[in-house]
Amino acid sequence: MNGLLLRHELLRDGLSGAAALLVALWLAAPEGMPGPAWWLLGLPVGAAAGILARQLAARWPFHPVLALAPAAGAVALGCAALAALAPGPASPNPAWPLLHGLVLFCALLATRPPLQGALPAAQLLDRPQRLPDPAQLVALVAGQRVLITGAGGSIGSELARQVAALGPARLILLEQNEYALWRVDLALAETHPSIPRLAVLADIRDRARIAAVMQEHRPALVLHAAALKHVPMLEAAPAEAVLTNVLGTRHVADAARAAGCRCFVLVSTDKAVKPASVMGASKRLAELYIRALDQAGRQSGGMRAVSVRFGNVLGSSGSVVELFARQIARGSPLTITHPAMRRYFMTVEEAVGLILCAAALPEEAGEGGLFVLDMGQPIRILDLARRMMRLEGRVVPIRFTGPRPGEKLTEELFHGEEPPRPTRCPGLLAACPPAVDPALITRAVEELASLARAGEEAALRRALTRLLPEYAPQAVPRPDATGLSAGAPAPGEARPAEAPVLSPAGGGGWRAAVARRNEA
């Protein structure tokens, strides 16, 4: 693929240079057409100048002159500019205006702008987007108070935009990053100035603050998008993952239920399926807590609580698309962890539309309280990188760096005991996981939160592997000389013999765990 793209670049630059050189010579000597020798000279010179211009622009991407023509043939640009600025030929040439336009076209072709990370994300998908009809969502939002956590992030800000377009009675934007909160609030002020809204600076880890916000505004719908998501960073800081993704989710969900919320939606991730990372394990525990709340809500007629699980979002902050765009613009190698690495992808507009569909149809989740977005087939990251280069017409090397701590080569969307079924909303699937024991979940969350607050990282990792036997942590080097993963069993050391209580696989699953508790 790289060779094909390189030949395409050389051919385009060479033809641009030859055409501009030929037309410039013709304008300079209208009585005679330059011979084929000039074409043969223009092709290699134009191609070589194009390579030089690309290299210079990659080295000095912000240079005020080089930034104008990063992939252009310098000879093509120079000849075209001279010919365009030169006065008309001495002898009459009725074709001069047409040739003048042709020269300007050649210059324009040669001076396409560099990549700025603005590729339409939909072009990178291998399938059509599934965008729900907004009319189906009006009844969910119109005239209702809606609260969005993590409102300044990629998912949260798109949730805010789509919710604002549906006419809520009040939109509460909750975010702990003040700049991100200011930015999304400003954007809504410009696009939906008539929608009553409130920007709330708060941390979901602050239980009292979250409870006060919920009691003050009493939202009918809570969309919980706040989370820590960077897999390698959370491998190095497992307590932060637990305090935000597990305990923070509990704070928001409990406060929403106490304030009379009708529907709570947790934005989850495919990394919660057979997790190999602390981040995935923390999101898995958050799913289980929300499922326990939903069971209680169905029995009492109270708040419905559902989780919506999906994969990567194209173009989101910190995504691989953003990284590749920056690397292509700089001309530096694209860094890919492994040639076989695959991920599920969808656009942020598509993901958010389906999240709102899930909020509108909580009864379709059945007893499982879990929705999964139909993301098509996983995309190989290497193919995504090549597609981005092809769309931009630029070629850079590809370098494989090896998987990072906590990363898997492929992700999954369903556990083995979660058979999917379709819903009334295309692209939205309902999973059917087994029941959970709310008391066991609550004790597990309290144990993990206590260890996280105390900074007992080794004990916290051991507790995660004990409570979630499907959690298979990747090796994370210690800063000391042991070379062991923090919290991982030493060679020959067995896991604790306590019964697994939070796993749908092994130990009989949830039904067996509930049966054991009932027999006790």
Side-chain angles (χ1 to χ4, degrees):
M1 177 64 73
N2 287 351
L4 291 175
L5 288 173
L6 180 59
R7 288 195 293 273
H8 170 75
E9 294 261 351
L10 295 177
L11 180 61
R12 190 206 60 230
D13 287 332
L15 289 176
S16 298
L21 185 61
L22 180 66
V23 173
L25 290 171
W26 190 8
L27 291 176
E31 65 278 3
M33 169 70 75
W38 287 106
W39 277 96
L40 297 177
L41 175 64
L43 285 170
V45 171
I51 294 175
L52 176 62
R54 273 190 296 277
Q55 295 299 320
L56 292 175
R59 186 172 181 83
W60 294 289
F62 303 108
H63 192 283
V65 175
L66 294 176
L68 297 176
V75 171
L77 178 63
C79 292
L82 288 175
L85 296 175
S91 58
N93 189 340
W96 196 90
L98 177 62
L99 298 176
H100 188 182
L102 179 61
V103 169
L104 291 177
F105 175 77
C106 291
L108 182 63
L109 176 67
T111 58
R112 75 188 192 286
L115 176 67
Q116 298 294 337
L119 271 178
Q123 293 187 23
L124 301 175
L125 288 176
D126 282 330
R127 56 173 178 79
Q129 293 189 80
R130 300 179 182 90
L131 300 176
D133 183 1
Q136 301 175 351
L137 307 176
V138 171
L140 168 72
V141 172
Q144 304 294 329
R145 292 185 297 274
V146 181
L147 185 145
I148 301 172
T149 72
S154 302
I155 296 293
S157 59
E158 181 62 25
L159 277 168
R161 282 188 287 270
Q162 293 196 24
V163 167
L166 297 172
R170 190 172 185 82
L171 180 56
I172 302 101
L173 309 171
L174 193 145
E175 171 63 56
Q176 60 89 25
N177 183 302
E178 61 178 351
Y179 173 70
L181 181 61
W182 170 81
R183 186 176 57 186
V184 67
D185 185 55
L186 178 64
L188 292 177
E190 295 171 346
T191 58
H192 299 89
S194 63
I195 298 298
R197 70 187 188 283
L198 179 67
V200 177
L201 189 65
D203 189 339
I204 62 172
R205 290 156 67 157
D206 186 339
R207 182 178 182 178
R209 169 72 167 145
I210 295 301
V213 170
M214 290 289 183
Q215 289 296 328
E216 178 182 357
H217 300 288
R218 295 189 173 273
L221 172 64
V222 172
L223 303 169
H224 179 45
L228 295 177
K229 305 170 186 175
H230 194 281
V231 170
M233 285 187 181
L234 296 184
E235 287 301 301
E240 300 302 311
V242 168
L243 292 174
T244 296
N245 295 350
V246 182
L247 192 60
T249 295
R250 179 184 179 180
H251 291 164
V252 177
D254 288 353
R257 181 178 60 173
C261 175
R262 292 204 300 266
C263 182
F264 177 95
V265 179
L266 167 68
V267 176
S268 189
T269 171
D270 58 357
K271 294 175 177 60
V273 180
K274 300 177 184 176
S277 63
V278 170
M279 182 271 193
S282 67
K283 295 297 282 187
R284 174 64 175 158
L285 286 163
E287 284 187 2
L288 296 176
Y289 188 79
I290 295 307
R291 193 183 309 166
L293 279 188
D294 190 57
Q295 289 177 189
R298 289 197 312 273
Q299 294 170 3
S300 64
M303 181 182 77
R304 291 301 306 268
V306 298
S307 300
V308 181
R309 184 191 295 162
F310 55 95
N312 293 35
V313 173
L314 288 169
S316 61
S317 57
S319 73
V320 68
V321 172
E322 181 184 27
L323 173 64
F324 286 167
R326 184 168 65 250
Q327 290 173 334
I328 293 174
R330 292 175 56 86
S332 57
L334 298 187
T335 52
I336 299 177
T337 55
H338 193 281
M341 188 75 69
R342 296 175 182 271
R343 290 292 182 266
Y344 289 97
F345 285 100
M346 64 183 1
T347 65
V348 65
E349 298 83 3
E350 182 180 24
V352 165
L354 293 174
I355 290 171
L356 293 177
C357 277
L361 303 171
E363 71 282 355
E364 297 231 6
E367 297 182 357
L370 175 63
F371 290 102
V372 179
L373 304 190
D374 184 357
M375 307 191 69
Q377 296 300 315
I379 298 174
R380 197 166 60 140
I381 303 298
L382 180 59
D383 294 336
L384 179 68
R386 289 168 170 169
R387 189 172 303 154
M388 289 186 66
M389 287 193 289
R390 183 173 67 250
L391 287 172
E392 284 301 323
R394 303 187 70 178
V395 179
V396 295
I398 292 176
R399 180 164 56 89
F400 297 103
T401 60
R404 300 175 298 177
E407 285 188 327
K408 296 192 292 186
L409 291 183
T410 59
E411 300 286 359
E412 302 173 71
L413 292 171
F414 296 93
H415 284 279
E417 294 189 10
E418 295 175 344
R421 55 181 175 79
T423 67
R424 285 179 288 161
C425 179
L428 183 67
L429 302 173
C432 304
V436 300
D437 185 335
L440 292 176
I441 296 292
T442 300
R443 287 202 298 270
V445 171
E446 290 173 351
E447 176 186 351
L448 293 170
S450 177
L451 293 172
R453 291 193 191 99
E456 299 286 345
E457 290 193 359
L460 179 60
R461 293 180 191 273
R462 287 194 295 269
L464 284 172
T465 57
R466 171 170 51 84
L467 295 170
L468 287 173
E470 75 246 47
Y471 168 47
Q474 301 291 322
V476 182
R478 284 182 182 270
D480 56 33
T482 65
L484 292 177
S485 230
E493 177 186 347
R495 281 185 174 179
E498 300 177 48
V501 295
L502 300 180
S503 174
W510 285 103
R511 294 183 179 90
V514 174
R516 287 194 297 270
R517 183 174 180 274
N518 291 337
E519 292 170 359

